[in-house]
């Protein structure tokens, strides 16, 4: 239903702004750039916006350099991709307010903030939904578009390793590879390359790891980030590493930003749900991978979040196949 409405509004639009979330990940950049390329192939004007710096590993995605920070221009439609609430669009939302808004997303916590909302938590990535749109709109895959879209699928499934990977997505990955995308090249760029500074910071953060009632957690302070020279601490994927610890059902990493706010990155084993905790604190995500941003200070944030996570670590939802 909303998939058809999404198609319809995109067919009618002529000048489309596509905005994605701050702290961008591969799926954010992939779904925004992918949709822009599809719209341009249909003869429309389309521009991608992200109100943040892009981490170096995302430079492997074709056309990433065309993404602008400030959303200016004359448009007749705003599309939000991979963002669960309008706050995640940063200044892009304020700059483009008043336009009809198409909200395309796969987060279970999506607040349905669009004029039209196409939200499908069964999609492994927003990029998978954009692939469906390409097919619906009759845009053929070439090597470039296939690489752009595969990047988001590979990013959100951690290289096809999350609990939600199924036969459908593998068939889609096969189609993308047949069109010319390289799975090994994207896995290498997104997961196997990291700056030395990241490894040093990782090491420091591991020294401070604690486990309480099934919750494993650690802290990255401003001082630790400054000493390592790493600006994008979320590039570490430290929470994804910590959830591999056998004694843990839930993992959390608390990162202090330069403005004093605290980013919380959370992961859960299958059957446990951190999306509900993130949503309760104004954030969002998926049952196994979620996050939120709190005003700080660190010593207030940690006990608040840990109490909620310990409760979540007691409440098994039963084995679910719902992934990130
Ligand atoms: P991360 O821990 O940064 O890899 O994020 C895991 C998931 O949670 C991703 O789907 C993010 O989009 C989502 N997420 C992280 N931080 C926030 C936030 N402040 N608000 C809403 N969603 C978030
Ligand atoms: Mn994302
Ligand atoms: Mn996503």
């Amino acid at each position: 239903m909303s998939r058809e409405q999404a198609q319809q509004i995109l067919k009618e639009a002529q000048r489309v702004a596509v905005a994605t979330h701050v702290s961008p990940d591969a799926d954010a950049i992939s779904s925004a750039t992918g949709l822009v390329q599809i719209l341009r192939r249909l003869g429309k004007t389309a521009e991608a916006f992200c109100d943040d710096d892009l981490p170096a590993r995302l430079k492997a995605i074709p056309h990433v350099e065309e993404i602008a920070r400030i959303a200016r221009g004359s448009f007749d439609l705003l599309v939000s991709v991979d963002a669960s609430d309008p706050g995640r669009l940063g200044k892009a939302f304020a700059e483009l307010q008043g336009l009809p808004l198409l909200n395309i997303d796969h987060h279970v916590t999506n607040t349905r903030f669009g004029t039209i909302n196409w939200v499908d938590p069964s999609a492994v990535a927003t990029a998978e939904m954009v692939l469906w749109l390409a097919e619906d709109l009759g845009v053929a895959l070439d090597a470039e578009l296939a690489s752009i879209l595969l990047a988001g699928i590979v990013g959100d499934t951690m290289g096809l390793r999350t609990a939600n990977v199924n036969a459908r997505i593998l068939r889609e990955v096969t189609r993308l590879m047949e069109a010319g995308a390289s799975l090994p090249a994207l896995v290498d760029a997104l997961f196997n390359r990291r700056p030395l500074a990241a490894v040093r910071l990782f090491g420091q953060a591991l020294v401070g790891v604690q486990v309480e009632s099934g919750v494993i957690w650690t802290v990255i302070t401003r001082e630790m980030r400054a000493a390592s020279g790493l600006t994008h601490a979320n590039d570490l994927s430290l929470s994804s590493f910590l959830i591999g610890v056998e004694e843990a059902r839930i993992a959390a990493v608390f990162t202090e930003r330069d403005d004093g706010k605290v980013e919380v990155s959370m992961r859960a084993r299958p059957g446990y749900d951190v999306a509900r905790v993130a949503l309760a604190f104004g954030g969002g995500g998926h049952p196994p991978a979620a996050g939120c941003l709190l005003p700080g200070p660190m010593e207030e944030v940690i006990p608040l979040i840990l109490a909620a996570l310990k409760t979540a670590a007691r409440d098994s939802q039963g084995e679910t196949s719902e992934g990130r």
Side-chain angles (χ1 to χ4, degrees):
M1 169 58 177
S2 38
R3 177 167 164 180
E4 280 86 62
Q5 286 180 318
Q7 262 181 68
Q8 197 53 40
I9 196 167
L10 286 170
K11 274 187 196 156
E12 287 162 10
Q14 286 310 317
R15 303 183 59 83
V16 185
V18 181
T20 193
H21 65 79
V22 293
S23 299
D25 51 22
D27 190 30
I29 298 309
S30 162
S31 51
T33 304
L35 182 56
V36 161
Q37 292 301 317
I38 289 165
L39 293 170
R40 288 186 187 166
R41 279 162 215 209
L42 292 168
K44 299 171 191 297
T45 300
E47 301 290 343
F49 300 102
C50 177
D51 184 21
D52 214 338
D53 295 331
L54 306 188
R57 72 196 148 82
L58 300 185
K59 308 257 155 84
I61 302 174
H63 293 288
V64 66
E65 69 287 347
E66 293 169 24
I67 297 177
R69 239 184 120 134
I70 306 289
R72 293 216 179 92
S74 121
F75 299 101
D76 55 22
L77 177 67
L78 170 60
V79 185
S80 165
V81 289
D82 201 42
S84 53
D85 65 77
R88 293 279 282 163
L89 299 177
K91 285 198 282 293
F93 185 66
E95 295 277 347
L96 296 169
Q97 226 160 7
L99 291 177
L101 171 55
L102 169 61
N103 168 15
I104 304 178
D105 187 31
H106 69 132
H107 291 94
V108 68
T109 56
N110 190 286
T111 60
R112 269 71 177 177
F113 56 93
T115 322
I116 291 173
N117 300 289
W118 178 29
V119 178
D120 188 347
S122 82
V124 302
T126 303
E128 186 187 15
M129 300 172 74
V130 174
L131 171 64
W132 299 339
L133 265 181
E135 289 167 350
D136 291 345
L137 294 168
V139 173
L141 293 173
D142 56 27
E144 190 180 79
L145 181 56
S147 301
I148 292 169
L149 295 178
L150 186 57
I153 291 168
V154 166
D156 267 16
T157 60
M158 297 187 68
L160 306 178
R161 290 188 298 134
T162 48
N164 55 349
V165 170
N166 53 26
R168 177 191 78 205
I169 192 69
L170 293 185
R171 280 192 294 271
E172 288 163 355
V173 169
T174 303
R175 283 208 296 283
L176 293 167
M177 292 182 77
E178 283 168 348
S182 167
L183 178 62
L186 287 167
V187 168
D188 193 54
L190 297 178
F191 293 102
N192 295 347
R193 315 292 310 163
R194 55 186 63 82
L196 177 61
V199 176
R200 293 204 200 284
L201 184 55
F202 210 105
Q204 266 213 294
L206 288 180
V207 172
V209 158
Q210 301 189 50
V211 187
E212 293 168 36
S213 314
V215 180
I216 187 164
W217 60 281
T218 193
V219 174
I220 296 174
T221 62
R222 261 183 282 199
E223 292 72 30
M224 287 161 72
R225 285 194 302 106
S228 76
L230 194 76
T231 46
H232 279 89
N234 62 352
D235 257 14
L236 287 179
S237 306
L238 183 53
S239 53
S240 297
F241 178 75
L242 293 180
I243 196 60
V245 170
E246 292 194 349
E247 288 77 3
R249 298 185 288 281
I250 284 180
V253 175
F254 299 89
T255 304
E256 189 185 23
R257 303 198 324 181
D258 289 339
D259 60 8
K261 291 184 182 168
V262 177
E263 271 173 22
V264 191
S265 170
M266 294 171 270
R267 296 290 182 272
R269 298 274 314 147
Y272 296 86
D273 182 356
V274 285
R276 283 195 300 185
V277 176
L279 190 61
F281 289 96
H286 314 281
C292 56
L293 181 66
L294 286 122
M298 191 65 95
E299 53 281 14
E300 281 174 28
V301 169
I302 291 174
L304 206 61
I305 298 282
L306 275 187
L309 290 180
K310 285 178 188 172
T311 305
R314 276 199 304 270
D315 299 342
S316 173
Q317 315 287 303
E319 286 291 307
T320 83
S321 62
E322 218 170 299
R324 33 186 331 211

